[in-house]
Amino acid sequence: MRFQDKVVIITAGSSGIGLACLEQMLQEGALVHNLDLVPPAASDIKAAAVAGRAFWMEADLGDGRVPDEAVQRVLSSHGRIDVLINNAAYTTHHGGALLETSIEEWQRQIDITLSGTFGMSKACLPAMIEQGNGAIVNMGSIGGLVPFSNTAAYCTAKAALMQLTRSIAIDYGRQGIRCNAVCPGAIDTPAFSGIKALPYELADREARTALGRIGRPEEIASAVAFLASAEASYITGATLVVDGGWSVTQWSDHLGPRDM
């Protein structure tokens, strides 16, 4: 298994893509610390917790004190950090266009999505540097690559996260640290439930995707695990787009029926 007894920290690992990443890491033998406001409900994760392989810490990444405190707890328990998955983002409300975005909404988006990633990375890097190795995977979004309407704060935070990923990669590569980002497209998570409830919206998303369907959380988790693993040992500063081909079809006038 690729992560046998590796120490992994994941933020927002209790649902959606984060939960899929947590489950994948556990399946591959890791010891996983999940920083989230709520614990995961999945029974297999509860079993892993009883077995001492899954750990939950209540954490609000919008609080700048959380990263240092959480990382010190992990180091006290295991003495090392091998992988950091920065998955936390403020997705409760995307905020609207600029004029409809309050300063509070803007700040909450920046605090969790961008500053949370900054804080967790900064807290983990000294231990990784001392070890001489470590992998950081940041959860981006195609919204950070292609702007969407009525999501000014979200798209801005995700775009800045891409540049933070590259900065970490170039500054700490010589110390054995790799940092990459995954950019999901439309994925079937709780945050996507509003779209799924509107058949015409769901059909539009599917029609605009080359594969003709919405993605699954475990498909993102597989990409994250790859970038965190030794299989990606010569990859850093990269952005892996996992969107079913959405980003390559946006300039196409028509997508024909799927070839089966």
Side-chain angles (χ1 to χ4, degrees):
M1 292 187 285
R2 292 180 295 182
F3 300 100
Q4 185 66 47
D5 296 328
K6 298 291 187 182
V7 179
V8 176
I9 297 178
I10 180 169
T11 62
S14 294
S15 65
I17 291 172
L19 178 59
C21 290
L22 176 56
E23 291 173 331
Q24 172 108 27
M25 288 292 170
L26 287 173
Q27 289 167 7
E28 298 206 39
L31 304 169
V32 188
H33 288 260
N34 170 26
L35 278 58
D36 206 322
L37 290 172
V38 297
S43 58
D44 57 337
I45 292 177
K46 291 182 179 180
V50 171
R53 304 197 67 82
F55 309 86
W56 169 67
M57 286 182 276
E58 183 176 3
D60 179 358
L61 268 295
D63 183 342
R65 299 168 297 181
V66 164
D68 285 334
E69 295 172 358
V71 168
Q72 286 308 310
R73 288 177 60 182
V74 175
L75 290 173
S76 296
S77 298
H78 299 293
R80 61 183 296 111
I81 298 167
D82 298 293
V83 176
L84 169 64
I85 302 171
N86 283 309
N87 175 64
Y90 184 49
T91 57
T92 304
H93 177 33
H94 284 173
L98 188 65
L99 291 178
E100 287 75 50
T101 303
S102 67
I103 187 61
E104 292 80 14
E105 187 75 24
W106 173 273
Q107 195 61 55
R108 187 67 173 159
Q109 186 64 254
I110 297 300
D111 285 347
I112 296 177
T113 305
L114 183 58
S115 295
T117 297
F118 161 81
M120 287 301 302
S121 301
K122 187 174 183 180
C124 288
L125 275 168
M128 290 181 169
I129 292 170
E130 185 175 353
Q131 296 161 194
N133 61 79
I136 299 173
V137 183
N138 295 328
M139 194 62 66
S141 168
I142 54 173
L145 302 173
V146 179
F148 299 131
S149 60
N150 299 313
T151 56
Y154 177 80
C155 288
T156 299
K158 288 295 190 180
L161 188 145
M162 303 300 161
Q163 195 70 344
L164 177 60
T165 298
R166 300 180 189 106
S167 293
I168 294 171
I170 197 170
D171 287 337
Y172 299 103
R174 296 297 177 91
Q175 284 95 338
I177 314 303
R178 296 185 301 105
C179 185
N180 295 289
V182 173
C183 286
I187 306 298
D188 188 4
T189 67
F192 196 71
S193 59
I195 298 295
K196 287 183 67 178
L198 302 172
Y200 61 91
E201 289 281 0
L202 179 59
D204 178 71
R205 298 300 193 282
E206 292 173 336
R208 291 176 179 272
T209 302
L211 295 182
R213 64 174 177 83
I214 302 305
R216 301 185 301 273
E218 57 267 28
E219 292 176 306
I220 306 302
S222 293
V224 170
F226 165 68
L227 288 175
S229 76
E231 294 175 352
S233 58
Y234 202 54
I235 301 175
T236 194
T239 297
L240 177 56
V241 178
V242 189
D243 66 352
W246 181 91
S247 55
V248 299
T249 64
Q250 295 317 292
W251 307 112
S252 175
D253 293 331
H254 175 71
L255 285 176
R258 293 179 59 189
D259 293 327
M260 301 303 289

